[in-house]
Amino acid sequence: MKKSSPSIIVTAQPTYLASQSDPMSQKFIWSYQITIANESDEIIQLLNRYWRITDMSSKVEEVQGYGVIGLQPIIKPGKQFVYGSFCQLTTPQGTMEGYYEMQTLDDTVFHVDIPKFVLSAPSSITQSFRSMLH
């Protein structure tokens, strides 16, 4: 298994969902959009995912499983696969990072890193949350 492929680019765009969050109940929700761009010369398929989610109290949650959003997408050279999902934390800030397990048509399996990205509620919510803790 190869460690990673520099020609598969993963980007993330998180958005805090104030209307679905409830800071008083320590419920903070983000949506995020992931773009997986295949800049290689090979057709690839996403097999599995692994996420490491860390909140501002350093609590870590690991999530792994089959595909993404119920799919194991095939991504042709020069194409992108874009999907959206959600994350809930008990703190107003945290991070997400991980990797996708991918496969080429010749059954070569490799990992593609998902660069760490920050989940952050607006500063007014974060400051109020911190003052509630003291």
Side-chain angles (χ1 to χ4, degrees):
M1 177 181 356
K2 292 184 193 174
K3 172 73 175 118
S4 67
S5 172
S7 49
I8 311 300
I9 310 298
V10 178
T11 54
Q13 182 62 50
T15 303
Y16 179 66
L17 301 176
S19 64
Q20 295 180 34
S21 298
D22 183 0
M24 296 305 287
S25 300
Q26 296 185 340
K27 178 181 171 186
F28 302 89
I29 300 178
W30 289 264
S31 66
Y32 56 89
Q33 180 176 292
I34 299 288
T35 301
I36 304 167
N38 182 359
E39 297 181 2
S40 76
D41 296 331
E42 298 191 68
I43 295 172
I44 59 167
Q45 182 173 20
L46 189 156
L47 301 176
N48 298 296
R49 71 186 181 287
Y50 167 80
W51 285 105
R52 179 181 171 89
I53 305 164
T54 307
D55 71 15
M56 67 190 271
S57 67
S58 299
K59 180 182 138 225
V60 174
E61 179 183 359
E62 295 180 302
V63 177
Q64 53 191 11
Y66 166 92
V68 291
I69 62 169
L71 303 172
Q72 287 185 314
I74 292 172
I75 311 168
K76 294 180 180 177
K79 299 294 183 183
Q80 297 181 343
F81 177 75
V82 180
Y83 75 95
S85 195
F86 297 86
C87 177
Q88 179 176 323
L89 298 179
T90 57
T91 64
Q93 291 180 329
T95 61
M96 290 180 70
E97 63 189 308
Y99 64 84
Y100 295 118
E101 184 181 73
M102 303 278 199
Q103 176 176 291
T104 62
L105 289 179
D106 67 3
D107 294 332
T108 301
V109 175
F110 61 98
H111 286 174
V112 173
D113 290 334
I114 304 166
K116 182 185 285 188
F117 60 96
V118 176
L119 304 170
S120 185
S123 58
S124 59
I125 293 172
T126 302
Q127 288 168 357
S128 332
F129 181 80
R130 285 188 172 144
S131 65
M132 287 181 352
L133 297 177
H134 297 294

